[in-house]
Amino acid sequence: AIERGFSKEDALALCNLYSRDNARTPMQWSDETEGGFTTGTPWFPVNPNYRQINVAKQMDDPTSILSFYRALLALRKNKIYENVFVYGRFEPAYEEIKDVFAFYRRAEEGYALIVSNWGKENITIELSDEDTRLWCMLDNMAEDYKLGTALRASMAQKEAQKSITLKPGQVRVYG
């Protein structure tokens, strides 16, 4: 930036604006010094919350972010849905509903509906006739994220849902 005529102050401001460095921290593996990332001094400072939020603490917690990502990956690798999630075409869904981000992944083998509430209030969605046949496979607000937990709860209802209600920040995967 300096070579292009910017002052040192403006060049630094541009670097800070466009750099990813301000969003990066070392991986927090444990509650040990430096988050278990290194015994030395890391280039970037470790997030001060490393004692509370780290991989070691999330390993056996069924409601942790790590467990949720494991469930997402297991669903993606599931032979029944592999083509849907990997190769399926993207189609927006329920676009008319404020604060809802929803879409389908469709393939010859079937489809999935991913629906999320980005608002601050609960949102009820009236499902299309096609979507009333779907079962909830994953829910980020379930008691645990093991594949099948949300599905068993969904199937226990025994009849098709005509609507769903999502809490703020809630994401569900239906298939």
Side-chain angles (χ1 to χ4, degrees):
I2 291 174
E3 291 172 3
R4 295 195 176 190
F6 288 94
S7 68
K8 287 182 180 180
E9 292 80 16
D10 289 342
L12 181 59
L14 284 170
C15 288
N16 288 333
L17 180 64
Y18 293 107
S19 172
R20 295 181 310 166
D21 288 354
N22 55 10
R24 294 167 53 188
T25 63
M27 185 67 184
Q28 297 170 194
W29 293 107
S30 68
D31 61 2
E32 297 171 3
T33 304
E34 304 299 352
F37 179 76
T38 182
T39 55
T41 303
W43 176 261
F44 297 110
V46 174
N47 192 311
N49 67 6
Y50 74 91
R51 294 197 191 279
Q52 295 80 35
I53 300 174
N54 59 65
V55 173
K57 286 201 188 275
Q58 293 191 14
M59 289 292 289
D60 296 321
D61 178 357
T63 62
S64 70
I65 299 226
L66 178 61
S67 292
F68 186 69
Y69 273 89
R70 285 178 170 162
L72 280 172
L73 289 170
L75 184 57
R76 183 183 183 274
K77 292 179 177 185
N78 182 298
K79 291 297 177 197
I80 296 170
Y81 285 98
E82 183 176 34
N83 283 336
V84 171
F85 289 114
V86 176
Y87 303 109
R89 66 186 179 282
F90 171 89
E91 290 180 15
Y94 301 101
E95 292 178 282
E96 70 283 358
I97 303 173
K98 184 180 184 314
D99 295 327
V100 167
F101 178 67
F103 62 94
Y104 297 102
R105 292 296 299 230
R106 293 188 187 271
E108 287 182 28
E109 297 82 2
Y111 75 101
L113 169 65
I114 296 84
V115 60
S116 59
N117 177 357
W118 289 61
K120 295 180 180 177
E121 305 290 331
N122 286 357
I123 295 176
T124 298
I125 300 168
E126 298 299 322
L127 296 173
S128 70
D129 288 341
E130 178 186 36
D131 293 343
T132 61
R133 297 188 306 260
L134 297 174
W135 301 103
C136 181
M137 297 187 295
L138 193 58
D139 180 342
N140 74 323
M141 293 193 178
E143 289 182 21
D144 74 55
Y145 303 126
K146 290 187 182 97
L147 266 188
T149 300
L151 181 58
R152 281 189 296 278
S154 182
M155 292 175 79
Q157 295 171 350
K158 300 209 189 308
E159 57 186 61
Q161 288 185 284
K162 298 195 184 306
S163 67
I164 57 172
T165 300
L166 298 174
K167 298 173 186 171
Q170 190 165 18
V171 179
R172 289 188 187 155
V173 179
Y174 290 87

Short mmCIF file of all heavy atoms in Angstrom, two decimals, residues 1-67:
data_model
loop_
_atom_site.label_atom_id
_atom_site.label_comp_id
_atom_site.label_asym_id
_atom_site.label_seq_id
_atom_site.Cartn_x
_atom_site.Cartn_y
_atom_site.Cartn_z
N ALA A 1 0.83 -1.19 0.00
CA ALA A 1 0.00 0.00 0.00
C ALA A 1 0.87 1.26 0.00
O ALA A 1 0.51 2.24 -0.63
CB ALA A 1 -0.93 -0.01 1.19
N ILE A 2 1.99 1.19 0.72
CA ILE A 2 2.90 2.34 0.76
C ILE A 2 3.46 2.60 -0.63
O ILE A 2 3.57 3.75 -1.07
CB ILE A 2 4.03 2.13 1.79
CG1 ILE A 2 3.42 2.17 3.21
CG2 ILE A 2 5.13 3.17 1.65
CD1 ILE A 2 4.39 1.83 4.32
N GLU A 3 3.79 1.50 -1.37
CA GLU A 3 4.32 1.64 -2.72
C GLU A 3 3.31 2.29 -3.66
O GLU A 3 3.67 2.86 -4.68
CB GLU A 3 4.72 0.28 -3.28
CG GLU A 3 5.92 -0.32 -2.58
CD GLU A 3 6.20 -1.76 -3.01
OE1 GLU A 3 5.49 -2.28 -3.89
OE2 GLU A 3 7.13 -2.35 -2.44
N ARG A 4 2.05 2.23 -3.32
CA ARG A 4 1.00 2.83 -4.16
C ARG A 4 0.63 4.23 -3.69
O ARG A 4 -0.36 4.80 -4.15
CB ARG A 4 -0.24 1.94 -4.15
CG ARG A 4 0.07 0.62 -4.80
CD ARG A 4 -1.14 -0.11 -5.14
NE ARG A 4 -0.74 -1.31 -5.85
CZ ARG A 4 -1.57 -2.10 -6.46
NH1 ARG A 4 -2.84 -1.81 -6.47
NH2 ARG A 4 -1.15 -3.16 -7.08
N GLY A 5 1.41 4.77 -2.75
CA GLY A 5 1.22 6.15 -2.36
C GLY A 5 0.43 6.39 -1.09
O GLY A 5 0.16 7.53 -0.74
N PHE A 6 0.06 5.35 -0.38
CA PHE A 6 -0.67 5.54 0.87
C PHE A 6 0.31 5.90 1.99
O PHE A 6 1.46 5.46 2.00
CB PHE A 6 -1.41 4.25 1.27
CG PHE A 6 -2.60 3.97 0.40
CD1 PHE A 6 -2.48 3.13 -0.70
CD2 PHE A 6 -3.85 4.52 0.69
CE1 PHE A 6 -3.57 2.85 -1.50
CE2 PHE A 6 -4.95 4.24 -0.11
CZ PHE A 6 -4.81 3.40 -1.22
N SER A 7 -0.17 6.68 2.96
CA SER A 7 0.66 7.00 4.12
C SER A 7 0.82 5.72 4.95
O SER A 7 0.07 4.76 4.78
CB SER A 7 0.00 8.09 4.97
OG SER A 7 -1.18 7.56 5.57
N LYS A 8 1.79 5.72 5.87
CA LYS A 8 1.98 4.56 6.73
C LYS A 8 0.72 4.26 7.54
O LYS A 8 0.33 3.11 7.71
CB LYS A 8 3.15 4.78 7.68
CG LYS A 8 4.50 4.71 7.01
CD LYS A 8 5.61 4.89 8.03
CE LYS A 8 6.96 4.82 7.33
NZ LYS A 8 8.06 4.99 8.28
N GLU A 9 0.06 5.30 8.03
CA GLU A 9 -1.16 5.13 8.83
C GLU A 9 -2.27 4.50 7.99
O GLU A 9 -2.95 3.58 8.42
CB GLU A 9 -1.62 6.47 9.42
CG GLU A 9 -0.69 7.04 10.47
CD GLU A 9 0.54 7.75 9.86
OE1 GLU A 9 0.53 8.07 8.64
OE2 GLU A 9 1.51 7.94 10.60
N ASP A 10 -2.46 5.02 6.75
CA ASP A 10 -3.51 4.49 5.87
C ASP A 10 -3.19 3.06 5.43
O ASP A 10 -4.08 2.22 5.34
CB ASP A 10 -3.71 5.39 4.64
CG ASP A 10 -4.37 6.71 5.00
OD1 ASP A 10 -4.99 6.81 6.10
OD2 ASP A 10 -4.28 7.65 4.19
N ALA A 11 -1.91 2.80 5.16
CA ALA A 11 -1.50 1.45 4.76
C ALA A 11 -1.78 0.45 5.88
O ALA A 11 -2.30 -0.64 5.64
CB ALA A 11 -0.02 1.44 4.38
N LEU A 12 -1.45 0.82 7.12
CA LEU A 12 -1.72 -0.05 8.26
C LEU A 12 -3.22 -0.25 8.45
O LEU A 12 -3.68 -1.37 8.71
CB LEU A 12 -1.10 0.53 9.54
CG LEU A 12 -1.28 -0.31 10.80
CD1 LEU A 12 -0.68 -1.71 10.62
CD2 LEU A 12 -0.66 0.40 11.99
N ALA A 13 -3.99 0.80 8.29
CA ALA A 13 -5.45 0.69 8.41
C ALA A 13 -6.01 -0.27 7.35
O ALA A 13 -6.89 -1.09 7.65
CB ALA A 13 -6.10 2.07 8.30
N LEU A 14 -5.49 -0.19 6.13
CA LEU A 14 -5.92 -1.11 5.06
C LEU A 14 -5.53 -2.55 5.39
O LEU A 14 -6.33 -3.48 5.18
CB LEU A 14 -5.31 -0.71 3.72
CG LEU A 14 -5.93 0.50 3.05
CD1 LEU A 14 -5.09 0.94 1.85
CD2 LEU A 14 -7.35 0.16 2.59
N CYS A 15 -4.32 -2.74 5.89
CA CYS A 15 -3.90 -4.10 6.27
C CYS A 15 -4.80 -4.66 7.37
O CYS A 15 -5.21 -5.82 7.31
CB CYS A 15 -2.44 -4.10 6.75
SG CYS A 15 -1.26 -3.87 5.41
N ASN A 16 -5.11 -3.85 8.35
CA ASN A 16 -5.98 -4.30 9.43
C ASN A 16 -7.39 -4.60 8.93
O ASN A 16 -8.03 -5.55 9.37
CB ASN A 16 -6.05 -3.27 10.56
CG ASN A 16 -4.77 -3.22 11.36
OD1 ASN A 16 -4.05 -4.20 11.44
ND2 ASN A 16 -4.49 -2.07 11.95
N LEU A 17 -7.86 -3.80 7.99
CA LEU A 17 -9.20 -3.98 7.46
C LEU A 17 -9.33 -5.28 6.66
O LEU A 17 -10.31 -6.01 6.78
CB LEU A 17 -9.59 -2.78 6.59
CG LEU A 17 -10.96 -2.82 5.95
CD1 LEU A 17 -12.05 -2.78 7.01
CD2 LEU A 17 -11.13 -1.64 5.00
N TYR A 18 -8.33 -5.58 5.83
CA TYR A 18 -8.42 -6.71 4.92
C TYR A 18 -7.67 -7.97 5.39
O TYR A 18 -7.72 -8.99 4.73
CB TYR A 18 -7.94 -6.30 3.52
CG TYR A 18 -8.87 -5.31 2.89
CD1 TYR A 18 -8.53 -3.98 2.77
CD2 TYR A 18 -10.13 -5.70 2.45
CE1 TYR A 18 -9.39 -3.06 2.21
CE2 TYR A 18 -11.01 -4.79 1.90
CZ TYR A 18 -10.63 -3.47 1.78
OH TYR A 18 -11.50 -2.57 1.23
N SER A 19 -7.02 -7.91 6.50
CA SER A 19 -6.26 -9.05 7.00
C SER A 19 -7.15 -10.00 7.77
O SER A 19 -8.08 -9.59 8.46
CB SER A 19 -5.14 -8.55 7.92
OG SER A 19 -4.52 -9.64 8.54
N ARG A 20 -6.87 -11.29 7.66
CA ARG A 20 -7.59 -12.29 8.46
C ARG A 20 -6.96 -12.43 9.84
O ARG A 20 -7.53 -13.09 10.71
CB ARG A 20 -7.55 -13.65 7.76
CG ARG A 20 -8.28 -13.67 6.46
CD ARG A 20 -8.22 -15.05 5.86
NE ARG A 20 -6.84 -15.55 5.85
CZ ARG A 20 -6.51 -16.81 5.65
NH1 ARG A 20 -7.44 -17.70 5.44
NH2 ARG A 20 -5.25 -17.20 5.64
N ASP A 21 -5.81 -11.86 10.05
CA ASP A 21 -5.09 -12.07 11.30
C ASP A 21 -5.90 -11.66 12.53
O ASP A 21 -5.79 -12.27 13.58
CB ASP A 21 -3.77 -11.31 11.30
CG ASP A 21 -2.75 -11.96 10.37
OD1 ASP A 21 -3.05 -13.05 9.85
OD2 ASP A 21 -1.67 -11.38 10.19
N ASN A 22 -6.73 -10.61 12.41
CA ASN A 22 -7.48 -10.16 13.57
C ASN A 22 -8.58 -11.14 13.97
O ASN A 22 -9.19 -11.00 15.02
CB ASN A 22 -8.05 -8.76 13.36
CG ASN A 22 -8.90 -8.67 12.11
OD1 ASN A 22 -9.22 -9.67 11.50
ND2 ASN A 22 -9.26 -7.46 11.72
N ALA A 23 -8.85 -12.15 13.16
CA ALA A 23 -9.87 -13.15 13.48
C ALA A 23 -9.26 -14.51 13.81
O ALA A 23 -9.99 -15.47 14.03
CB ALA A 23 -10.83 -13.29 12.30
N ARG A 24 -7.96 -14.60 13.84
CA ARG A 24 -7.29 -15.89 14.05
C ARG A 24 -6.73 -15.99 15.45
O ARG A 24 -6.19 -15.03 15.99
CB ARG A 24 -6.18 -16.06 13.03
CG ARG A 24 -6.71 -16.17 11.61
CD ARG A 24 -5.66 -16.03 10.56
NE ARG A 24 -4.52 -16.92 10.73
CZ ARG A 24 -3.43 -16.84 10.00
NH1 ARG A 24 -3.31 -15.93 9.07
NH2 ARG A 24 -2.44 -17.67 10.20
N THR A 25 -6.85 -17.17 16.02
CA THR A 25 -6.19 -17.48 17.28
C THR A 25 -5.72 -18.93 17.20
O THR A 25 -6.24 -19.71 16.41
CB THR A 25 -7.14 -17.34 18.50
OG1 THR A 25 -8.19 -18.29 18.39
CG2 THR A 25 -7.71 -15.95 18.62
N PRO A 26 -4.73 -19.30 18.00
CA PRO A 26 -4.29 -20.70 18.01
C PRO A 26 -5.41 -21.64 18.46
O PRO A 26 -6.27 -21.26 19.25
CB PRO A 26 -3.13 -20.70 19.02
CG PRO A 26 -2.66 -19.29 19.05
CD PRO A 26 -3.88 -18.45 18.84
N MET A 27 -5.38 -22.86 17.97
CA MET A 27 -6.36 -23.87 18.37
C MET A 27 -6.26 -24.11 19.86
O MET A 27 -5.17 -24.28 20.39
CB MET A 27 -6.11 -25.17 17.60
CG MET A 27 -7.12 -26.24 17.85
SD MET A 27 -8.70 -25.73 17.17
CE MET A 27 -9.71 -27.08 17.70
N GLN A 28 -7.39 -24.13 20.52
CA GLN A 28 -7.44 -24.33 21.96
C GLN A 28 -7.68 -25.81 22.24
O GLN A 28 -8.81 -26.28 22.32
CB GLN A 28 -8.54 -23.45 22.55
CG GLN A 28 -8.25 -21.99 22.35
CD GLN A 28 -9.39 -21.05 22.69
OE1 GLN A 28 -9.33 -19.90 22.31
NE2 GLN A 28 -10.40 -21.49 23.41
N TRP A 29 -6.60 -26.56 22.41
CA TRP A 29 -6.68 -28.00 22.59
C TRP A 29 -7.06 -28.40 24.01
O TRP A 29 -7.71 -29.43 24.21
CB TRP A 29 -5.35 -28.65 22.21
CG TRP A 29 -5.07 -28.53 20.75
CD1 TRP A 29 -4.15 -27.72 20.15
CD2 TRP A 29 -5.72 -29.23 19.69
NE1 TRP A 29 -4.20 -27.86 18.79
CE2 TRP A 29 -5.16 -28.80 18.47
CE3 TRP A 29 -6.74 -30.19 19.64
CZ2 TRP A 29 -5.56 -29.28 17.23
CZ3 TRP A 29 -7.15 -30.66 18.40
CH2 TRP A 29 -6.55 -30.21 17.22
N SER A 30 -6.62 -27.62 24.99
CA SER A 30 -6.86 -27.99 26.39
C SER A 30 -6.83 -26.73 27.25
O SER A 30 -6.67 -25.62 26.74
CB SER A 30 -5.79 -28.96 26.87
OG SER A 30 -4.53 -28.31 26.95
N ASP A 31 -6.95 -26.92 28.57
CA ASP A 31 -6.87 -25.78 29.48
C ASP A 31 -5.45 -25.55 29.99
O ASP A 31 -5.23 -24.79 30.92
CB ASP A 31 -7.86 -25.93 30.64
CG ASP A 31 -7.61 -27.15 31.50
OD1 ASP A 31 -6.63 -27.88 31.24
OD2 ASP A 31 -8.39 -27.38 32.44
N GLU A 32 -4.48 -26.20 29.34
CA GLU A 32 -3.07 -26.00 29.71
C GLU A 32 -2.59 -24.65 29.20
O GLU A 32 -3.26 -23.99 28.40
CB GLU A 32 -2.23 -27.12 29.11
CG GLU A 32 -2.58 -28.50 29.66
CD GLU A 32 -1.88 -29.62 28.91
OE1 GLU A 32 -1.07 -29.33 28.00
OE2 GLU A 32 -2.15 -30.77 29.25
N THR A 33 -1.40 -24.27 29.62
CA THR A 33 -0.80 -23.02 29.18
C THR A 33 -0.85 -22.90 27.66
O THR A 33 -0.61 -23.88 26.94
CB THR A 33 0.67 -22.94 29.65
OG1 THR A 33 0.70 -23.11 31.06
CG2 THR A 33 1.30 -21.61 29.29
N GLU A 34 -1.18 -21.73 27.18
CA GLU A 34 -1.32 -21.43 25.74
C GLU A 34 -2.35 -22.35 25.08
O GLU A 34 -2.28 -22.64 23.89
CB GLU A 34 0.03 -21.50 25.01
CG GLU A 34 1.11 -20.60 25.56
CD GLU A 34 0.79 -19.11 25.52
OE1 GLU A 34 -0.22 -18.71 24.91
OE2 GLU A 34 1.57 -18.33 26.08
N GLY A 35 -3.31 -22.82 25.86
CA GLY A 35 -4.38 -23.67 25.32
C GLY A 35 -3.90 -25.02 24.84
O GLY A 35 -4.60 -25.69 24.08
N GLY A 36 -2.70 -25.44 25.28
CA GLY A 36 -2.16 -26.72 24.83
C GLY A 36 -1.67 -26.66 23.39
O GLY A 36 -1.28 -27.66 22.81
N PHE A 37 -1.65 -25.46 22.80
CA PHE A 37 -1.24 -25.29 21.40
C PHE A 37 0.26 -25.41 21.24
O PHE A 37 0.74 -25.98 20.27
CB PHE A 37 -1.72 -23.91 20.92
CG PHE A 37 -1.36 -23.60 19.50
CD1 PHE A 37 -2.05 -24.17 18.44
CD2 PHE A 37 -0.32 -22.71 19.21
CE1 PHE A 37 -1.71 -23.88 17.14
CE2 PHE A 37 0.02 -22.42 17.90
CZ PHE A 37 -0.68 -23.00 16.86
N THR A 38 1.02 -24.88 22.20
CA THR A 38 2.48 -24.89 22.11
C THR A 38 3.08 -24.71 23.50
O THR A 38 2.42 -24.19 24.40
CB THR A 38 2.99 -23.76 21.19
OG1 THR A 38 4.42 -23.82 21.09
CG2 THR A 38 2.60 -22.39 21.69
N THR A 39 4.31 -25.16 23.65
CA THR A 39 5.03 -24.88 24.89
C THR A 39 5.82 -23.59 24.74
O THR A 39 6.37 -23.08 25.71
CB THR A 39 5.99 -26.04 25.23
OG1 THR A 39 6.86 -26.27 24.12
CG2 THR A 39 5.20 -27.29 25.56
N GLY A 40 5.85 -23.07 23.53
CA GLY A 40 6.54 -21.81 23.27
C GLY A 40 5.56 -20.64 23.33
O GLY A 40 4.52 -20.71 23.98
N THR A 41 5.93 -19.59 22.64
CA THR A 41 5.06 -18.41 22.57
C THR A 41 4.43 -18.37 21.18
O THR A 41 5.13 -18.26 20.18
CB THR A 41 5.88 -17.12 22.80
OG1 THR A 41 6.54 -17.23 24.06
CG2 THR A 41 4.99 -15.90 22.78
N PRO A 42 3.10 -18.47 21.09
CA PRO A 42 2.46 -18.47 19.77
C PRO A 42 2.54 -17.09 19.11
O PRO A 42 2.65 -16.07 19.79
CB PRO A 42 1.01 -18.85 20.07
CG PRO A 42 0.79 -18.50 21.50
CD PRO A 42 2.13 -18.61 22.17
N TRP A 43 2.50 -17.11 17.79
CA TRP A 43 2.55 -15.87 17.01
C TRP A 43 1.36 -14.98 17.34
O TRP A 43 1.49 -13.78 17.50
CB TRP A 43 2.55 -16.24 15.53
CG TRP A 43 2.51 -15.09 14.59
CD1 TRP A 43 1.42 -14.58 13.95
CD2 TRP A 43 3.60 -14.26 14.18
NE1 TRP A 43 1.75 -13.52 13.16
CE2 TRP A 43 3.10 -13.29 13.29
CE3 TRP A 43 4.95 -14.25 14.48
CZ2 TRP A 43 3.90 -12.34 12.70
CZ3 TRP A 43 5.75 -13.28 13.88
CH2 TRP A 43 5.22 -12.35 13.00
N PHE A 44 0.16 -15.60 17.45
CA PHE A 44 -1.05 -14.88 17.84
C PHE A 44 -1.37 -15.22 19.28
O PHE A 44 -1.14 -16.33 19.73
CB PHE A 44 -2.25 -15.30 16.97
CG PHE A 44 -2.08 -14.99 15.53
CD1 PHE A 44 -1.88 -16.01 14.61
CD2 PHE A 44 -2.13 -13.69 15.07
CE1 PHE A 44 -1.72 -15.73 13.27
CE2 PHE A 44 -1.97 -13.40 13.72
CZ PHE A 44 -1.77 -14.42 12.82
N PRO A 45 -1.96 -14.28 20.00
CA PRO A 45 -2.33 -14.60 21.39
C PRO A 45 -3.48 -15.62 21.43
O PRO A 45 -4.35 -15.63 20.57
CB PRO A 45 -2.77 -13.25 21.96
CG PRO A 45 -3.07 -12.39 20.80
CD PRO A 45 -2.26 -12.90 19.64
N VAL A 46 -3.45 -16.48 22.44
CA VAL A 46 -4.52 -17.44 22.66
C VAL A 46 -5.71 -16.70 23.24
O VAL A 46 -5.55 -15.79 24.06
CB VAL A 46 -4.04 -18.55 23.62
CG1 VAL A 46 -5.17 -19.49 23.99
CG2 VAL A 46 -2.88 -19.32 23.01
N ASN A 47 -6.91 -17.07 22.82
CA ASN A 47 -8.12 -16.46 23.35
C ASN A 47 -8.15 -16.68 24.87
O ASN A 47 -7.89 -17.78 25.34
CB ASN A 47 -9.35 -17.11 22.71
CG ASN A 47 -10.62 -16.34 23.00
OD1 ASN A 47 -10.91 -16.01 24.13
ND2 ASN A 47 -11.38 -16.08 21.96
N PRO A 48 -8.48 -15.64 25.65
CA PRO A 48 -8.48 -15.79 27.10
C PRO A 48 -9.48 -16.83 27.62
O PRO A 48 -9.37 -17.28 28.75
CB PRO A 48 -8.84 -14.40 27.62
CG PRO A 48 -8.95 -13.50 26.47
CD PRO A 48 -8.77 -14.29 25.21
N ASN A 49 -10.42 -17.26 26.80
CA ASN A 49 -11.41 -18.24 27.26
C ASN A 49 -10.94 -19.69 27.09
O ASN A 49 -11.73 -20.61 27.26
CB ASN A 49 -12.75 -18.03 26.55
CG ASN A 49 -12.70 -18.36 25.07
OD1 ASN A 49 -11.70 -18.85 24.55
ND2 ASN A 49 -13.78 -18.08 24.38
N TYR A 50 -9.67 -19.90 26.80
CA TYR A 50 -9.18 -21.26 26.50
C TYR A 50 -9.36 -22.23 27.66
O TYR A 50 -9.46 -23.43 27.45
CB TYR A 50 -7.72 -21.24 26.04
CG TYR A 50 -6.70 -20.98 27.13
CD1 TYR A 50 -6.13 -22.03 27.83
CD2 TYR A 50 -6.31 -19.69 27.44
CE1 TYR A 50 -5.19 -21.80 28.82
CE2 TYR A 50 -5.39 -19.45 28.43
CZ TYR A 50 -4.83 -20.50 29.12
OH TYR A 50 -3.91 -20.26 30.10
N ARG A 51 -9.44 -21.74 28.88
CA ARG A 51 -9.65 -22.65 30.03
C ARG A 51 -11.08 -23.20 30.05
O ARG A 51 -11.31 -24.30 30.52
CB ARG A 51 -9.34 -21.95 31.34
CG ARG A 51 -7.86 -21.59 31.47
CD ARG A 51 -7.47 -21.28 32.90
NE ARG A 51 -6.15 -20.70 32.99
CZ ARG A 51 -5.02 -21.40 32.95
NH1 ARG A 51 -5.05 -22.68 32.80
NH2 ARG A 51 -3.86 -20.78 33.04
N GLN A 52 -12.03 -22.44 29.53
CA GLN A 52 -13.42 -22.88 29.51
C GLN A 52 -13.81 -23.54 28.17
O GLN A 52 -14.63 -24.45 28.15
CB GLN A 52 -14.39 -21.69 29.74
CG GLN A 52 -14.28 -21.03 31.09
CD GLN A 52 -13.10 -20.07 31.19
OE1 GLN A 52 -12.74 -19.40 30.23
NE2 GLN A 52 -12.48 -20.03 32.36
N ILE A 53 -13.25 -23.04 27.08
CA ILE A 53 -13.63 -23.53 25.75
C ILE A 53 -12.40 -24.13 25.08
O ILE A 53 -11.49 -23.41 24.67
CB ILE A 53 -14.20 -22.39 24.88
CG1 ILE A 53 -15.45 -21.81 25.55
CG2 ILE A 53 -14.53 -22.90 23.48
CD1 ILE A 53 -16.00 -20.59 24.85
N ASN A 54 -12.39 -25.47 24.99
CA ASN A 54 -11.27 -26.15 24.35
C ASN A 54 -11.72 -27.55 23.93
O ASN A 54 -12.77 -28.04 24.37
CB ASN A 54 -10.05 -26.19 25.27
CG ASN A 54 -10.33 -26.88 26.58
OD1 ASN A 54 -10.59 -28.08 26.61
ND2 ASN A 54 -10.28 -26.11 27.67
N VAL A 55 -10.96 -28.17 23.09
CA VAL A 55 -11.29 -29.49 22.56
C VAL A 55 -11.44 -30.52 23.67
O VAL A 55 -12.39 -31.30 23.69
CB VAL A 55 -10.25 -29.95 21.52
CG1 VAL A 55 -10.50 -31.38 21.09
CG2 VAL A 55 -10.26 -29.02 20.31
N ALA A 56 -10.53 -30.54 24.62
CA ALA A 56 -10.56 -31.55 25.68
C ALA A 56 -11.89 -31.50 26.45
O ALA A 56 -12.47 -32.53 26.77
CB ALA A 56 -9.39 -31.36 26.63
N LYS A 57 -12.38 -30.29 26.72
CA LYS A 57 -13.64 -30.16 27.46
C LYS A 57 -14.84 -30.58 26.61
O LYS A 57 -15.87 -30.97 27.14
CB LYS A 57 -13.83 -28.74 27.96
CG LYS A 57 -12.94 -28.39 29.13
CD LYS A 57 -13.50 -27.21 29.88
CE LYS A 57 -12.55 -26.72 30.93
NZ LYS A 57 -12.59 -27.37 32.17
N GLN A 58 -14.74 -30.47 25.29
CA GLN A 58 -15.87 -30.77 24.42
C GLN A 58 -15.91 -32.22 23.95
O GLN A 58 -16.94 -32.67 23.44
CB GLN A 58 -15.84 -29.84 23.20
CG GLN A 58 -16.08 -28.40 23.57
CD GLN A 58 -16.32 -27.52 22.37
OE1 GLN A 58 -16.56 -27.99 21.27
NE2 GLN A 58 -16.26 -26.22 22.58
N MET A 59 -14.84 -32.96 24.16
CA MET A 59 -14.76 -34.34 23.65
C MET A 59 -15.94 -35.21 24.08
O MET A 59 -16.49 -35.94 23.27
CB MET A 59 -13.46 -35.01 24.10
CG MET A 59 -12.22 -34.46 23.43
SD MET A 59 -12.12 -34.84 21.68
CE MET A 59 -11.78 -36.58 21.75
N ASP A 60 -16.33 -35.16 25.32
CA ASP A 60 -17.39 -36.03 25.83
C ASP A 60 -18.68 -35.29 26.14
O ASP A 60 -19.57 -35.84 26.77
CB ASP A 60 -16.90 -36.76 27.09
CG ASP A 60 -15.73 -37.68 26.77
OD1 ASP A 60 -15.76 -38.32 25.71
OD2 ASP A 60 -14.79 -37.75 27.58
N ASP A 61 -18.78 -34.05 25.71
CA ASP A 61 -19.99 -33.25 25.96
C ASP A 61 -20.92 -33.39 24.76
O ASP A 61 -20.61 -32.89 23.68
CB ASP A 61 -19.60 -31.79 26.17
CG ASP A 61 -20.80 -30.88 26.38
OD1 ASP A 61 -21.96 -31.35 26.32
OD2 ASP A 61 -20.58 -29.68 26.61
N PRO A 62 -22.06 -34.07 24.91
CA PRO A 62 -22.95 -34.30 23.77
C PRO A 62 -23.60 -33.03 23.23
O PRO A 62 -24.15 -33.04 22.14
CB PRO A 62 -24.00 -35.26 24.32
CG PRO A 62 -24.00 -35.05 25.78
CD PRO A 62 -22.59 -34.65 26.14
N THR A 63 -23.51 -31.92 23.96
CA THR A 63 -24.10 -30.66 23.47
C THR A 63 -23.05 -29.65 23.01
O THR A 63 -23.37 -28.49 22.78
CB THR A 63 -24.97 -30.02 24.57
OG1 THR A 63 -24.14 -29.70 25.69
CG2 THR A 63 -26.09 -30.94 25.01
N SER A 64 -21.81 -30.09 22.87
CA SER A 64 -20.73 -29.16 22.49
C SER A 64 -20.75 -28.88 20.99
O SER A 64 -21.35 -29.61 20.20
CB SER A 64 -19.37 -29.74 22.87
OG SER A 64 -19.06 -30.86 22.05
N ILE A 65 -20.08 -27.83 20.61
CA ILE A 65 -19.93 -27.49 19.19
C ILE A 65 -19.18 -28.62 18.47
O ILE A 65 -19.53 -28.97 17.35
CB ILE A 65 -19.18 -26.16 19.04
CG1 ILE A 65 -19.98 -25.08 19.70
CG2 ILE A 65 -18.82 -25.88 17.60
CD1 ILE A 65 -20.20 -23.80 19.05
N LEU A 66 -18.18 -29.19 19.12
CA LEU A 66 -17.45 -30.31 18.53
C LEU A 66 -18.40 -31.47 18.23
O LEU A 66 -18.35 -32.05 17.14
CB LEU A 66 -16.33 -30.76 19.47
CG LEU A 66 -15.49 -31.95 19.00
CD1 LEU A 66 -14.77 -31.64 17.70
CD2 LEU A 66 -14.51 -32.36 20.09
N SER A 67 -19.29 -31.80 19.16
CA SER A 67 -20.25 -32.88 18.93
C SER A 67 -21.20 -32.55 17.79
O SER A 67 -21.56 -33.42 17.00
CB SER A 67 -21.05 -33.15 20.21
OG SER A 67 -20.22 -33.70 21.20
#
